[in-house]
């Protein structure tokens, strides 16, 4: 039996040629060594720069890619026709690609987000209509603690596609109100009262100076727009209290706010 | 009595400050606006309580303000290559501090004179500026306890005439002194070196008191402001790094 195996091995060596076999072995060994060294280097580089959940799979992916490439090259050196394998691999890859499209998309988005760094853990951000604090960023999703206490998981693909407002890296924000005054109101007087309220409020910044203007008149009344700046971390405090102060002061000064109104004219039968 | 002297009742900044012993080991401090109590704290009876003027970084909220933003009115015009000493005032906050002999100070209360609203302003851009205590530094002919005199040495190093409208003094460059037993306070002089049409460097000339009878306002009230961004020439809220006004003066 042993003699048979030896004879077969010799036959193979004769058929393929010993040099081709050695070449294939050399390619495989070389790819293993290169793959190991390169993946090690990438792992060290990535661990210092990327989160561990990205760094480790990345280095493994590099290692496996190089080893698979080496294996295919070795096979081709041995005379194996790779076209069938490539076609089969291509079809399988296509099917797998369709199946794993979302996963891969989220993965790649996670990597791109990491490099883009539109926010970090702890930042207050707005994604679409969702406002909250970023609690965790993983390779597939981002978790946001909304201001109402709920935890929102957003896939990284969606985060990547969305418009993101990062509220963390700003010093000052503008509070905006639109106040509709009743028709016939002395607008100049009303603006003066609002300005006084803003000037007396220590949390409203003196610079950039507040802006109060009347951009339009509607059916309901005269619209007055108020733009006032405050520090970013006091924005919510100011936004929730300033309008009440303005309204109370206008009320005290006899300025009436508009109530929605419609003029209804009833025609007599003869007019019809 | 006034700054730096233990009190039982004191009028300051439009408020009445009162310290009263309720029982053997309970002492209450309260700040009254007319008859209305606006602030109250219970204290260790062994503590001495006194009022001091401090740099204006405690109001309207603590740990919010990084600089003092002085709006000069009228603006100062300085000839090319010239120097000018502008004497004006900076606001001071009142701090009620409690101290037991040999121990650190503790801030019990801080407030601003009711004669002024402690306004803030942004110097720079919303994404990268400084939140400052804003003060309209006009011509004051009357002495007020909530204002400390300050000299600003303006040096125009450019070859053009410049008009200085604003001076931004960072936290660590402003030092306030007071004369115990009086309402007198004093801010250490500031140098403003104008480097270009928009950039000026701000630094403290000296941290020495004007005379031996002045005392330094308590250091513990200062916020530790670290450098915000190294490597960018306009940021410098760290000791030894000069503060530069880069968004104009």
């Amino acid at each position: 039996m042993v003699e048979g195996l030896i004879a077969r091995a010799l036959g193979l060596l004769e058929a393929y040629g010993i040099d081709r076999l050695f070449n294939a072995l050399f390619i495989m060994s070389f790819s293993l060594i290169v793959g190991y060294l390169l993946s090690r280097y990438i792992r060290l580089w990535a661990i210092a720069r990327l989160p561990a959940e990205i760094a480790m799979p990345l280095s493994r992916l590099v290692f496996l890619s190089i080893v698979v490439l080496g294996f295919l090259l070795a096979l081709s050196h041995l005379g194996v026709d790779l076209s069938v394998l490539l076609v089969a691999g291509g079809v399988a890859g296509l099917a797998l690609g369709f199946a794993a499209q979302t996963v891969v998309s989220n993965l790649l988005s996670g990597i791109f987000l990491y490099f883009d760094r539109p926010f970090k853990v702890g930042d207050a951000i707005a994604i679409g209509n969702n406002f909250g604090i970023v609690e965790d960023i993983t390779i597939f999703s981002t978790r946001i603690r909304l201001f109402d206490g709920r935890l929102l998981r957003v896939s990284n693909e969606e985060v990547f596609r969305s418009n993101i407002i990062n509220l963390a890296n700003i010093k000052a924000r503008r509070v905006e109100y639109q106040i509709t005054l009743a028709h016939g109101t002395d607008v100049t007087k009303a603006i003066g009262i609002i300005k006084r309220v803003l000037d007396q409020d220590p949390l409203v910044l003196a610079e950039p100076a507040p802006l109060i203007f009347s951009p339009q008149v509607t059916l309901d009344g005269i619209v007055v727009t108020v733009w006032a700046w405050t520090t970013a971390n006091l924005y919510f405090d100011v936004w929730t209290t300033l309008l009440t102060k303005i309204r109370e002061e206008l009320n005290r000064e006899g300025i009436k706010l508009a109530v929605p109104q419609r003029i209804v004219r009833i025609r007599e039968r003869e007019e019809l | 009595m006034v700054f730096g002297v233990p009190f039982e009742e004191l009028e300051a900044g439009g408020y009445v400050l009162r310290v009263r012993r309720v029982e053997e080991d309970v002492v209450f401090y309260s700040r009254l606006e007319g008859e209305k109590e606006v602030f109250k704290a219970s204290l260790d009876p062994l503590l001495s309580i006194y009022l001091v003027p401090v740099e204006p970084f405690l109001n309207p909220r603590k740990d919010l303000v990084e600089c003092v933003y002085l709006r000069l009115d009228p603006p100062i015009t300085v000839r090319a290559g010239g120097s000018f000493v502008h004497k004006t005032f900076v606001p001071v906050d009142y701090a009620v501090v409690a101290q037991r002999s040999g121990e650190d100070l503790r801030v019990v209360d801080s407030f601003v004179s009711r004669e002024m609203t402690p306004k803030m302003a942004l110097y720079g851009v919303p994404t990268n500026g400084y939140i400052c205590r804003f003060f309209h530094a006009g011509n004051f002919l009357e002495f007020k306890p909530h204002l400390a005199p300050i000299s600003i040495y303006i040096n125009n190093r450019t070859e053009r005439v410049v008009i200085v409208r604003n001076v931004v003094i960072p936290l660590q460059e402003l030092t306030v002194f007071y004369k115990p037993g009086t309402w007198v306070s004093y801010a250490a002089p500031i140098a403003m070196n104008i480097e270009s049409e928009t950039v000026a460097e701000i630094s403290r000339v000296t941290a020495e008191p004007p005379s031996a009878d002045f005392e330094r306002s308590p250091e513990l009230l200062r916020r530790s402001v670290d450098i915000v961004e190294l490597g960018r020439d306009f940021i410098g809220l760290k000791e030894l790094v000069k503060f530069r006004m880069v968004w104009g003066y």
Side-chain angles (χ1 to χ4, degrees):
Chain A
M1 189 183 170
V2 177
E3 283 174 1
L5 280 173
I6 293 168
R8 201 170 166 194
L10 286 172
L12 276 171
L13 283 174
E14 207 173 296
Y16 290 115
I18 195 148
D19 54 335
R20 289 170 73 182
L21 191 64
F22 273 115
N23 277 348
L25 280 172
F26 175 75
I27 288 168
M28 266 313 294
S29 310
F30 185 73
S31 68
L32 277 168
I33 292 165
V34 170
Y36 172 74
L37 291 175
L38 201 60
S39 71
R40 191 165 173 270
Y41 175 77
I42 284 173
R43 191 169 65 239
L44 290 172
W45 176 86
I47 276 175
R49 292 165 179 80
L50 302 172
E53 60 264 34
I54 295 178
M56 296 308 286
L58 189 69
S59 71
R60 279 193 205 115
L61 189 71
V62 169
F63 176 74
L64 282 174
S65 304
I66 291 169
V67 170
V68 168
L69 197 69
F71 181 68
L72 292 174
L73 271 173
L75 282 181
S76 75
H77 259 273
L78 290 172
V80 176
D81 185 8
L82 294 179
S83 57
V84 178
L85 206 64
L86 286 174
V87 169
V91 172
L94 204 64
L96 198 68
F98 273 117
Q101 195 180 14
T102 313
V103 176
V104 173
S105 172
N106 279 324
L107 179 81
L108 290 176
S109 300
I111 293 168
F112 291 142
L113 278 175
Y114 186 80
F115 285 108
D116 190 30
R117 288 173 188 262
F119 51 77
K120 60 182 187 303
V121 171
D123 283 359
I125 62 163
I127 295 183
N129 292 324
N130 297 306
F131 291 80
I133 309 285
V134 178
E135 281 214 339
D136 196 13
I137 307 166
T138 69
I139 197 159
F140 294 112
S141 65
T142 299
R143 286 175 177 79
I144 302 161
R145 176 70 61 187
L146 299 180
F147 288 134
D148 63 7
R150 291 177 297 163
L151 187 68
L152 176 73
R153 178 196 172 277
V154 190
S155 67
N156 281 341
E157 187 192 3
E158 197 181 329
V159 174
F160 195 69
R161 277 194 283 110
S162 302
N163 294 324
I164 301 163
I165 300 172
N166 191 332
L167 306 168
N169 301 320
I170 48 174
K171 289 288 182 84
R173 285 183 69 187
R174 194 172 71 190
V175 177
E176 297 179 10
Y177 299 119
Q178 286 213 324
I179 302 164
T180 309
L181 305 171
H183 284 296
T185 303
D186 182 346
V187 179
T188 311
K189 184 184 171 191
I191 288 175
I193 293 164
I194 297 168
K195 187 176 181 309
R196 196 175 67 215
V197 173
L198 301 183
D199 286 345
Q200 287 171 355
D201 192 323
L203 304 186
V204 172
L205 300 185
E207 289 281 333
L211 200 58
I212 310 156
F213 57 98
S214 179
Q216 60 176 328
V217 178
T218 66
L219 277 175
D220 293 335
I222 306 156
V223 177
V224 172
T225 298
V226 180
W227 287 351
W229 287 80
T230 186
T231 63
N233 47 359
L234 292 176
Y235 175 83
F236 193 71
D237 291 7
V238 173
W239 180 68
T240 50
T241 55
L242 189 59
L243 186 59
T244 307
K245 289 179 191 171
I246 292 171
R247 211 171 49 205
E248 282 174 356
E249 198 58 27
L250 288 172
N251 193 36
R252 194 173 295 125
E253 295 281 345
I255 302 285
K256 287 196 165 40
L257 299 185
V259 285
Q261 54 182 299
R262 294 288 178 275
I263 298 167
V264 180
R265 189 176 163 212
I266 302 168
R267 290 180 172 181
E268 294 296 326
R269 181 172 282 275
E270 295 84 65
E271 288 182 65
L272 294 171
Chain B
M1 295 300 274
V2 278
F3 288 148
V5 178
F7 67 87
E8 287 192 349
E9 188 163 312
L10 178 67
E11 277 186 40
Y15 297 98
V16 174
L17 315 178
R18 193 174 288 158
V19 178
R20 61 194 166 95
R21 187 178 295 269
V22 176
E23 288 168 23
E24 188 63 27
D25 55 353
V26 181
V27 168
F28 283 113
Y29 159 78
S30 52
R31 174 156 51 94
L32 303 150
E33 187 183 324
E35 291 299 310
K36 189 179 158 197
E37 190 174 60
V38 289
F39 183 82
K40 189 178 179 181
S42 60
L43 302 165
D44 181 340
L46 297 174
L47 291 168
S48 297
I49 297 145
Y50 54 96
L51 181 77
V52 284
V54 291
E55 293 86 359
F57 301 119
L58 295 177
N59 287 287
R61 296 273 174 95
K62 204 181 162 208
D63 292 341
L64 202 62
V65 173
E66 298 163 297
C67 307
V68 174
Y69 188 141
L70 298 180
R71 167 70 45 82
L72 305 183
D73 186 16
I76 310 295
T77 304
V78 188
R79 64 186 166 79
S83 296
F84 184 83
V85 182
H86 179 61
K87 291 181 188 295
T88 184
F89 290 87
V90 285
V92 290
D93 285 356
Y94 292 123
V96 175
V97 295
Q99 192 177 30
R100 205 167 160 169
S101 58
E103 290 183 5
D104 283 342
L105 290 167
R106 188 162 66 90
V107 180
V108 178
D109 184 20
S110 76
F111 60 95
V112 174
S113 169
R114 287 175 65 201
E115 283 185 48
M116 63 188 294
T117 305
K119 293 291 279 184
M120 296 183 290
L122 172 74
Y123 177 68
V125 291
T127 48
N128 207 4
Y130 295 106
I131 297 295
C132 308
R133 177 76 173 271
F134 183 78
F135 185 64
H136 211 96
N139 288 325
F140 299 93
L141 302 174
E142 189 188 343
F143 166 77
K144 292 183 177 182
H146 62 271
L147 300 176
I150 187 169
S151 298
I152 302 168
Y153 292 79
I154 304 170
N155 304 306
N156 182 3
R157 291 176 176 171
T158 70
E159 293 175 352
R160 299 178 65 159
V161 174
V162 296
I163 298 171
V164 181
R165 292 181 175 83
N166 306 306
V167 179
V168 177
I169 308 168
L171 168 65
Q172 80 281 359
E173 301 293 348
L174 188 65
T175 311
V176 168
F177 299 93
Y178 66 95
K179 193 186 269 189
T182 69
W183 285 114
V184 176
S185 58
Y186 166 86
I190 290 292
M192 180 182 191
N193 298 319
I194 293 164
E195 295 174 351
S196 73
E197 280 180 54
T198 54
V199 177
E201 189 184 87
I202 304 287
S203 60
R204 187 172 45 207
V205 175
T206 172
E208 295 301 313
S211 61
D213 51 354
F214 274 82
E215 280 191 22
R216 172 87 171 75
S217 70
E219 288 238 34
L220 81 148
L221 302 171
R222 296 164 161 259
R223 263 183 69 198
S224 59
V225 176
D226 293 327
I227 198 152
V228 182
E229 277 180 57
L230 274 165
R232 300 184 71 171
D233 63 349
F234 58 86
I235 304 292
L237 277 180
K238 198 179 181 184
E239 301 250 10
L240 306 176
V241 179
K242 299 280 186 187
F243 178 81
R244 301 174 84 207
M245 294 175 65
V246 292
W247 291 288
Y249 45 78

